[in-house]
Amino acid sequence: MTVPEAVDADRKLSHDIVWSLGSFAILALSGISINFAVAAMRDAAALGVFNLAYAIYVIASQVAVSGVHYSVLRLAAHLSDSPEERRFMLWAAIALSGSLGLAWGAAVYLAAPLFEALFGSPASARAISLTGFGLALFPLNKVLISYINGLRHMRAFALLQATRYLLVMAWVIGVAASTLPFEYAALAFIVAEGTTTLAAALYLQVAGLLTPRPVEKRWVLEHLSFGFRSLPSGMFLELNTRVDVIVIGIFLTDREVGIYSFAAMLVDGLYHVLAMIRVNMNPILVAGRRTDSWTESRRLLGVARRYLLPVAFALSAAIVVGYLVVVNYVLSSSDLAEGIWPLVILLASLSLVSAYVPFDNLLMVSGYPGHQTLQNLVVVFINIALNIALVPVIGIVGAAIGTAASYLAGFIALMYLASRLLGWNLLTNTTTTVDASANPR
């Protein structure tokens, strides 16, 4: 690569990151807006109905797409020099994801009696059932957007993602402001998935990237094979972010779900800030593994420990103060003040491990996807077990304790596996590899 080409590549990467950050900002804004608007115009129970439906939708969507979008993302880049093969690959994924979406969407829609028996809430059951319409299109939408991502059309990718978030926000707020039963807010997903699916298809068609091809069995089998192998890790991650809300829905009421999920939303915001750092850290970790020299990675861990820990605690303190102001003076009639202790518990535990969140994919990028799945499995198991044990006894505080413990368990599992597999002790930031003479802290 010549110098001008390298400069152009760096400039494109910088632009891509800016567009991705913009999309993330809209995601954060839409989530905050939805929670504030529903709490202000309805009540904590309505907020619980939507967040419970959303939790089920997120988990069901991972099952419905079955990792096919990961296969498309990988192959779109891998086949960059074989446009004809890429077309056959894409149409196989379109056919497969369309079929999976229709099947799982119908299953969720028809499962309303099961959800009512599980959560004891007719309103939540109806809302979850209505997410089935969005679920029918989710896998197809995810495949098309992942294809655009794999081709590195990042501006289109970011705009489509942002459009999806904004449509969900607009629909939910519109329903909250109306006299409609609030379970109709769950139709936001069919509105968002339908619109962005059409927009993604139109973009690919105009770009000449959607030329129809026959569906070939070999590509269907390839997508299924790769998808099912990549499904568990992603599934565990999504499940872990929703376990507490689902368990509260099973044992408590929609009101408690709403109170807890309002607080948990703010914790998710802090986590996503740390996760954005992780995205930029992964290539450096890959390079360290390839050369068996962890010098730069260990230096970055030292920097993370020096700066991220105090920054995370400072942000957490600001979030707590802001929360108290909002629930006592802005939304004083919403019962949300009861969420302060779950908020404090979750923020404290996340802050304790904040320096290590950017390194959370260390095992995956180092060539140990099975051990990465094992780490995620430990986290989910701890979260589920403690939530089931504590929520019936001490309510939403128990859910926070269970989820907080899962953060710590994830770090312990990562520390053990990194030391055993890579010779890198994350706690002391020392290695047993050739560059272990230094000890950046």
Side-chain angles (χ1 to χ4, degrees), residues 20 32-33 85 93 109 129 146 161 170 204-205 222 273 282 301 305 360 385 401 403 408:
S20 298
I32 292 171
S33 300
E85 278 294 278
Y109 178 77
S129 176
S146 295
Q161 292 282 63
L204 290 171
Q205 180 64 35
E222 171 67 20
V273 170
N282 287 339
L301 177 57
R305 286 163 40 157
D360 203 37
I401 292 172
T403 301
L408 300 176

Side-chain angles (χ1 to χ4, degrees), residues 367-404:
Y368 295 99
H371 290 82
Q372 183 81 56
T373 298
L374 176 62
Q375 176 196 343
N376 294 336
L377 179 60
V378 168
V379 172
V380 172
F381 177 79
I382 295 292
N383 204 353
I384 293 174
L386 289 178
N387 266 268
I388 291 175
L390 297 176
V391 168
V393 181
I394 52 177
I396 59 176
V397 172
I401 292 172
T403 301

Side-chain angles (χ1 to χ4, degrees), residues 289 294 298 417-426 430-433 436:
R289 176 58 177 168
W294 296 102
R298 291 171 54 233
L417 291 171
S419 177
R420 180 171 174 267
L421 299 172
L422 306 174
W424 185 4
N425 187 322
L426 298 177
T430 56
T431 62
T432 57
T433 53

Side-chain angles (χ1 to χ4, degrees), residues 41-354:
M41 292 186 280
R42 296 290 180 126
D43 54 22
L47 188 59
V49 167
F50 177 76
N51 280 303
L52 188 55
Y54 182 58
I56 297 297
Y57 182 77
V58 167
I59 295 171
S61 66
Q62 291 297 307
V63 178
V65 74
S66 297
V68 175
H69 61 304
Y70 291 131
S71 177
V72 170
L73 177 64
R74 177 181 68 96
L75 290 168
H78 184 69
L79 297 173
S80 58
D81 296 327
S82 305
E84 187 62 17
E85 278 294 278
R86 209 173 58 219
R87 293 186 184 97
F88 281 102
M89 177 277 293
L90 175 62
W91 279 93
I94 288 173
L96 180 58
S97 60
S99 301
L100 289 170
L102 290 173
W104 281 102
V108 168
Y109 178 77
L110 296 172
L114 174 63
F115 292 123
E116 184 170 354
L118 182 63
F119 298 116
S121 169
S124 290
R126 288 192 295 270
I128 294 169
S129 176
L130 291 175
T131 66
F133 291 104
L135 193 61
L137 281 180
F138 177 87
L140 176 59
N141 187 28
K142 197 71 173 175
V143 159
L144 294 178
I145 290 179
S146 295
Y147 187 66
I148 291 170
N149 186 9
L151 296 176
R152 294 193 66 194
H153 293 202
M154 297 307 295
R155 182 179 299 185
F157 173 78
L159 287 173
L160 288 167
Q161 292 282 63
T163 298
R164 183 173 179 269
Y165 305 143
L166 290 173
L167 287 170
V168 171
M169 178 187 72
W171 183 270
V172 175
I173 294 176
V175 172
S178 74
T179 57
L180 290 170
F182 191 66
E183 51 263 35
Y184 286 111
L187 290 174
F189 299 112
I190 182 58
V191 173
E193 307 299 355
T195 303
T196 51
T197 298
L198 288 174
L202 180 62
Y203 174 82
L204 290 171
Q205 180 64 35
V206 171
L209 299 169
L210 201 61
T211 308
R213 289 293 184 270
V215 176
E216 293 189 346
K217 182 180 178 180
R218 64 187 178 101
W219 284 118
V220 172
L221 294 176
E222 171 67 20
H223 290 315
L224 285 172
S225 174
F226 188 88
F228 281 127
R229 282 184 283 124
S230 60
L231 176 62
S233 182
M235 182 69 183
F236 289 143
L237 283 176
E238 293 292 353
L239 180 59
N240 194 58
T241 63
R242 310 296 167 184
V243 161
D244 41 9
V245 172
I246 292 172
V247 174
I248 293 171
I250 293 172
F251 290 107
L252 304 177
T253 67
D254 292 338
R255 174 182 173 276
E256 279 77 18
V257 174
I259 293 169
Y260 181 88
S261 58
F262 188 88
M265 165 201 66
L266 300 173
V267 181
D268 285 344
L270 177 58
Y271 178 83
H272 278 97
V273 170
L274 299 171
M276 289 301 298
I277 300 173
R278 180 176 62 199
V279 170
N280 293 280
M281 199 75 75
N282 287 339
I284 299 170
L285 298 176
V286 172
R289 176 58 177 168
R290 185 185 304 119
T291 61
D292 201 28
S293 175
W294 296 102
T295 302
E296 179 63 9
S297 300
R298 291 171 54 233
R299 186 189 70 80
L300 290 172
L301 177 57
V303 171
R305 286 163 40 157
R306 188 176 304 117
Y307 295 108
L308 277 187
L309 190 66
V311 167
F313 273 107
L315 287 174
S316 295
I319 290 170
V320 169
V321 171
Y323 186 89
L324 288 171
V325 171
V326 168
V327 301
N328 285 299
Y329 298 101
V330 181
L331 301 173
S332 56
S333 62
S334 62
D335 297 333
L336 295 175
E338 296 175 31
I340 185 62
W341 285 114
L343 178 66
V344 169
I345 292 168
L346 290 170
L347 286 173
S349 61
L350 181 57
S351 296
L352 282 173
V353 300
S354 58

